[in-house]
Amino acid sequence: NAGVTQTPKFQVLKTGQSMTLQCAQDMNHEYMSWYRQDPGMGLRLIHYSVGAGITDQGEVPNGYNVSRSTTEDFPLRLLSAAPSQTSVYFCASSLYPRWEQYFGPGTRLTVT
Amino acid sequence: AQTVTQSQPEMSVQEAETVTLSCTYDTSESDYYLFWYKQPPSRQMILVIRQEAYKQQNATENRFSVNFQKAAKSFSLKISDSQLGDAAMYFCAYRSGDAGGTSYGKLTFGQGTILTVHP
């Protein structure tokens, strides 16, 4: 199993550009999530999904969109990048009943 | 909403010694899960230990153990016989187990504690 994969690992965007961060898992996990990590603030939940076709907002959803058309994939879209979205982004998946999250390697995004 | 607080931004320990990292949380739920994650400089998030709230017995994983005090809403991590490879950022995290609640599926993290291990 590859586990949770994320692409790209690094990305630089200009303000106003859009892009999609890709996330895939091959463990047949129902639950998938996106987090952002900023210094001194831990990881904050952006969006999550409890299964294909079902998504919901987390703590900091503004400026981001998600969709979940398959169990395996959960892409995160930045609609119009802003410098405040400079961060490290993690995708994670988990499965009932143990609930521990399996994390991808992260994407470091810089918006100039 | 649930909150998780790690009051120690940084901790240090001598190799082979024991260190305890603190975590407190706030919730009105009775069914939940608590986790400690390790993040080394590689950035990869690694699960260290897991505790179900309904279990009174403290979880242990080799050199890692927790002190779970449900009434006090405290969940500390003890690392015994510290090794250089234990140096990392450690995060405490909370997950609701209430399938009917609005927090279901969400994982809430503390701010993290940077652990330095001195040889």
Side-chain angles (χ1 to χ4, degrees), chain A residues 37-43, chain B residues 4-13 19-24 35-41 45 48 64 75-79 86-93 109-117:
Chain A
Q37 182 178 17
D38 301 295
M41 303 189 75
L43 278 75
Chain B
V4 177
T5 302
Q6 294 178 247
S7 59
Q8 306 154 318
E10 298 183 29
M11 291 285 285
S12 64
V13 64
V19 64
T20 299
L21 308 184
S22 300
C23 173
T24 59
F35 305 90
W36 278 98
Y37 284 89
K38 170 185 177 182
Q39 186 180 42
M45 295 288 287
V48 174
F64 298 87
F75 183 60
S76 60
L77 175 69
K78 185 171 82 170
I79 305 174
D86 295 334
M89 174 84 87
Y90 286 81
F91 290 99
C92 178
F109 284 85
Q111 304 92 324
T113 298
I114 299 172
L115 178 65
T116 302
V117 181

Side-chain angles (χ1 to χ4, degrees), chain B residues 70-84:
Chain B
K70 190 171 184 179
K73 295 179 184 174
S74 171
F75 183 60
S76 60
L77 175 69
K78 185 171 82 170
I79 305 174
S80 305
D81 186 24
S82 297
Q83 300 176 358
L84 295 177

